[in-house]
Amino acid sequence: MKLKFKTTQNSVSECINCSLCTKNCEFLDKFELDLSGFAKNSDLAYNCFLCDKCYEVCPKDIKGSEVSLNLRLQKPRKFKLLEFKKEPYLFENNSEKISTELFFFGCNFVGYFPKTSKKIIEIFEKEGVDFSIDCCGKPLFEAGLGAEKRLIYLNELFKKKKTKRLITACPNCYHFLKPRLDIKVSSLYEKLDEMGLLSTFSNEIDLFFPCPERANYEIYSHFKDKLPNAKNTFSDVNCCGAGGLAMSNEPEVAQNGVSKVLAKSNQPYTYCATCSGRFGASSRHISSLFLGVDEKTNKHYALNVLKFKYYKKGRI
Ligand code: SF4
Ligand code: SF4
């Protein structure tokens, strides 16, 4: 599988107006803008999915997500419902249990993959690893509202639980928290590999790469040897449509991402529960595959999230 790895990132002032970003982004194409033009249009700040498909092709290594986030900071919009849901997270489930390693589900995983969630909890329980269902703060950060309060809260929570290492289910949590927390952050796949629970699957699978992995495919590197025949089937798709709070402003672009994926595969695999949620019942999560759980994306998201708010509550 050929993937482009990038480590450098430049300011939009380096743009040479080659239009490659425009050709690779439906949002930019719709407004006939390249990233330097986008940087002058603060009204479009919340139309970008923060997916960085543009960064993948940019010869000057400019990130559309940075352009958009800078515009959002200049003119933040109000997201009252988002703040109400996420600060504090309405469906959080944390305990006071001491846990030097802690499994962090994030917000969406338990809603879309309840069977796999229970399996993970069961496996980690035997190892003395507690779980946390909570928001990492990335949605607030991407809204331009700042995530400082959330990060202080999480650091305090982990301090109380004497947590030294966070094990994450979600690629958004992983990439957002890793550079921002006081403790070590690992992916679920690193931990499963350490536990000898990452078997090799040589079947061909269609793998969708979530946006936060675009630059360095760090989480993918934790399991790629175990999926030798995974195919990068969806390399032309920008985003599942859930990124960057852009869905309401760009519903057609968001839906096109889903339609393209479903046109190419009747069983798209991902390692982001939010992407799976967008692709619907046919989509599967690779953690279910590794853990031997036969589970499609669950339709009863809201009910599952509510149930998990109380799952093993009061555990000691
Ligand atoms: S791909 Fe990069 S250099 Fe080319 S127009 Fe877009 S931002 Fe500018
Ligand atoms: S939607 Fe994605 S590809 Fe388009 S400008 Fe934003 S980050 Fe870049």
Side-chain angles (χ1 to χ4, degrees), residues 24-25 27-28 35 38 48-54 64-65 238:
N24 281 279
C25 169
F27 148 62
L28 292 176
L35 288 181
F38 177 29
C48 164
F49 292 82
L50 310 180
C51 68
D52 279 336
K53 188 82 183 152
C54 47
S65 60
N238 284 45

Side-chain angles (χ1 to χ4, degrees), residues 21-22 24-29 33-35 38 45 47-57 62-68 72 211 214 238-239 243 246 250 253:
C21 53
T22 316
N24 281 279
C25 169
E26 285 181 50
F27 148 62
L28 292 176
D29 188 47
L33 293 168
D34 61 16
L35 288 181
F38 177 29
N47 292 48
C48 164
F49 292 82
L50 310 180
C51 68
D52 279 336
K53 188 82 183 152
C54 47
Y55 175 64
E56 254 182 11
V57 296
I62 299 163
K63 281 187 165 185
S65 60
E66 286 300 312
V67 172
S68 181
R72 291 175 188 206
C211 302
R214 285 260 157 80
N238 284 45
C239 175
E250 294 295 344
V253 178

Side-chain angles (χ1 to χ4, degrees), residues 15-143:
C15 176
I16 53 169
N17 305 111
C18 69
S19 297
L20 279 174
C21 53
T22 316
K23 287 182 193 131
N24 281 279
C25 169
E26 285 181 50
F27 148 62
L28 292 176
D29 188 47
K30 177 178 156 185
F31 291 96
E32 299 181 352
L33 293 168
D34 61 16
L35 288 181
S36 67
F38 177 29
K40 294 172 197 133
N41 271 282
S42 59
D43 288 350
L44 297 176
Y46 291 87
N47 292 48
C48 164
F49 292 82
L50 310 180
C51 68
D52 279 336
K53 188 82 183 152
C54 47
Y55 175 64
E56 254 182 11
V57 296
C58 176
K60 290 291 176 182
D61 298 339
I62 299 163
K63 281 187 165 185
S65 60
E66 286 300 312
V67 172
S68 181
L69 287 168
N70 284 336
L71 291 174
R72 291 175 188 206
L73 287 176
Q74 285 167 28
K75 227 178 176 183
R77 282 193 198 160
K78 293 214 183 313
F79 287 90
K80 289 217 165 118
L81 183 61
L82 181 78
E83 271 191 290
F84 173 70
K85 271 167 67 183
K86 305 276 188 184
E87 190 56 276
Y89 181 49
L90 278 186
F91 304 99
E92 63 87 23
N93 182 341
N94 291 298
S95 79
E96 291 179 5
K97 198 171 171 177
I98 301 299
S99 192
T100 50
E101 293 189 325
L102 180 66
F103 184 71
F104 192 78
F105 277 107
C107 304
N108 286 337
F109 192 98
V110 295
Y112 290 123
F113 295 99
K115 267 167 77 181
T116 309
S117 299
K118 285 184 182 171
K119 178 84 176 186
I120 293 170
I121 290 171
E122 181 195 312
I123 288 170
F124 283 162
E125 216 170 29
K126 289 182 192 147
E127 298 275 311
V129 176
D130 193 18
F131 69 91
S132 166
I133 299 170
D134 216 326
C135 175
C136 68
K138 190 179 179 196
L140 297 160
F141 175 79
E142 290 188 341

Side-chain angles (χ1 to χ4, degrees), residues 148-307:
E148 290 77 13
K149 199 170 155 193
R150 189 107 285 264
L151 292 167
I152 291 168
Y153 156 81
L154 289 175
N155 269 322
E156 275 303 308
L157 172 73
F158 303 148
K159 211 162 136 186
K160 274 191 211 148
K161 290 175 73 65
K162 301 198 185 314
T163 301
K164 302 276 181 261
R165 182 193 189 195
L166 199 69
I167 301 153
T168 55
C170 167
N172 287 297
C173 299
Y174 176 89
H175 287 285
F176 184 70
L177 292 177
K178 199 171 178 187
R180 292 178 170 87
L181 283 186
D182 299 339
I183 58 171
K184 189 174 174 194
V185 176
S186 301
S187 76
L188 169 64
Y189 312 98
E190 284 177 290
K191 179 66 182 171
L192 291 179
D193 203 14
E194 288 165 24
M195 294 165 77
L197 294 175
L198 220 51
S199 307
T200 300
F201 288 88
S202 40
N203 293 1
E204 275 197 356
I205 64 162
D206 298 312
L207 186 59
F208 181 82
F209 288 96
C211 302
E213 280 277 277
R214 285 260 157 80
N216 57 18
Y217 299 89
E218 197 171 311
I219 299 174
Y220 174 60
S221 75
H222 301 155
F223 63 78
K224 70 174 181 182
D225 293 346
K226 310 292 182 185
L227 296 178
N229 294 311
K231 292 186 294 175
N232 186 12
T233 311
F234 315 105
S235 56
D236 62 329
V237 181
N238 284 45
C239 175
C240 71
L245 305 160
M247 204 189 302
S248 57
N249 290 328
E250 294 295 344
E252 281 177 25
V253 178
Q255 188 50 43
N256 282 348
V258 175
S259 303
K260 277 188 190 173
V261 166
L262 297 181
K264 286 178 172 230
S265 174
N266 55 14
Q267 196 171 82
Y269 274 84
T270 73
Y271 47 110
C272 173
T274 308
C275 296
S276 294
R278 290 281 301 155
F279 303 147
S282 65
S283 178
R284 291 176 184 247
H285 200 282
I286 61 152
S287 63
S288 313
L289 181 73
F290 284 127
L291 294 170
V293 181
D294 184 12
E295 185 170 37
K296 293 177 180 175
T297 309
N298 196 286
K299 289 178 193 165
H300 307 289
Y301 172 83
L303 182 64
N304 294 330
V305 166
L306 189 61
K307 280 185 184 167

